[in-house]
Amino acid sequence: MTRSARTVVPSGLPRWLFVPAAVGGLFVVLPLTAMLASVDWPRFVELVTSESSLAALELSLRTAAASTVLCILLGVPMASVLARSSFRGLPVLRSLVLLPLVLPPVVGGIALLYTFGRKGLIGQHLEVAGISVAFTTTAVVLAQTFVALPFLVVSLEGSLRTAGRRYESAAATLGAGPTTVFRRVTLPLVLPGLVSGAVLSFARALGEFGATLTFAGSLEGVTRTLPLEIYLQRETDADAAVALSLVLVIVAVVIVVGSRGWASRAVP
């Protein structure tokens, strides 16, 4: 038996890869296990059903859903342009689109504040028209969209590049117009990637903290999302903070696992 045969498992991977993979898995699982062990289970229902907790959860789900819709409306065209176009400056454009992935969220919040705030680049003109954006529920949606949009763009752009153009070209040669090709060929072809990107965007929006706090503040029932409620509870009631953290984890897991199953069934 050769040396390479002895170091390979039936999966075809070298055995040594399983060591860092296991360490990485433990790095994720152990903190979650420690959190589970710290939950005050006898008071769990009481802690997560307080008026402020339910208001924060409802606001988080509502704003995350709205920001996901915005991500789809803006991200699908953006990903399509990045994947299907070729022009000078495209790499720069892609870098700018993906910039929120590497920016600290608080920096994104400051940027939004100086754009849509009362004295911001656009906000000052909106104020003249009687429209206030900063420190409102709308600001929460904008902050979540700002940080979540790149997740959808990255996922969908990758799907578009993997799918190639042969089916679109075939449809075009049969007389279909660009809009028809996009609607009836391109979108169905990359639907699993779109679903995955939308889920990632929703999950990122659901957990957004820094940009929301900076741009929208923390007003109960208006801008105080569940992450902000957890942060505030941590200062006064650690048990409530842990219980609410578990709720946020459960919601995220259910959405991600459910949507991944749906996306797998959607693959032709």
Side-chain angles (χ1 to χ4, degrees), residues 17-33:
L17 282 179
F18 287 84
V19 176
V23 172
L26 288 174
F27 184 73
V28 174
V29 172
L30 284 179
L32 296 177
T33 303

Side-chain angles (χ1 to χ4, degrees), residues 71-132:
C71 286
I72 293 173
L73 293 176
L74 300 176
V76 171
M78 291 169 66
S80 301
V81 170
L82 292 176
R84 293 291 190 258
S85 299
S86 179
F87 55 87
R88 182 177 299 178
L90 184 61
V92 176
L93 178 60
R94 180 179 289 107
S95 299
L96 291 175
V97 169
L98 302 183
L99 190 59
L101 285 175
V102 296
L103 276 181
V106 67
V107 174
I110 292 175
L112 289 170
L113 190 61
Y114 277 87
T115 303
F116 297 103
R118 291 183 178 180
K119 297 182 179 180
L121 184 64
I122 297 175
Q124 59 182 330
H125 301 294
L126 295 177
E127 285 290 329
V128 173
I131 302 174
S132 296

Side-chain angles (χ1 to χ4, degrees), residues 198-220:
V199 170
L200 288 174
S201 297
F202 183 89
R204 179 64 185 88
L206 195 64
E208 165 51 32
F209 176 81
T212 302
L213 182 61
T214 306
F215 180 43
S218 180
L219 304 174
E220 185 174 346

Side-chain angles (χ1 to χ4, degrees), residues 117-210:
R118 291 183 178 180
K119 297 182 179 180
L121 184 64
I122 297 175
Q124 59 182 330
H125 301 294
L126 295 177
E127 285 290 329
V128 173
I131 302 174
S132 296
V133 176
F135 305 105
T136 65
T137 304
T138 300
V140 177
V141 175
L142 292 179
Q144 292 175 342
T145 303
F146 182 81
V147 300
L149 182 59
F151 288 86
L152 188 139
V153 174
V154 169
S155 179
L156 188 55
E157 184 188 1
S159 296
L160 285 165
R161 291 185 180 279
T162 301
R165 302 188 182 187
R166 58 187 182 278
Y167 296 112
E168 297 166 331
S169 299
T173 58
L174 293 175
T179 300
T180 301
V181 171
F182 181 76
R183 180 171 55 88
R184 303 193 62 177
V185 178
T186 305
L187 286 182
L189 194 62
V190 298
L191 184 59
L194 177 58
V195 172
S196 297
V199 170
L200 288 174
S201 297
F202 183 89
R204 179 64 185 88
L206 195 64
E208 165 51 32
F209 176 81

Side-chain angles (χ1 to χ4, degrees), residues 230-246:
I230 292 171
Y231 179 78
L232 292 176
Q233 290 287 1
R234 180 177 174 273
E235 302 295 326
T236 58
D237 189 347
D239 290 336
V242 173
L244 291 175
S245 298
L246 180 59

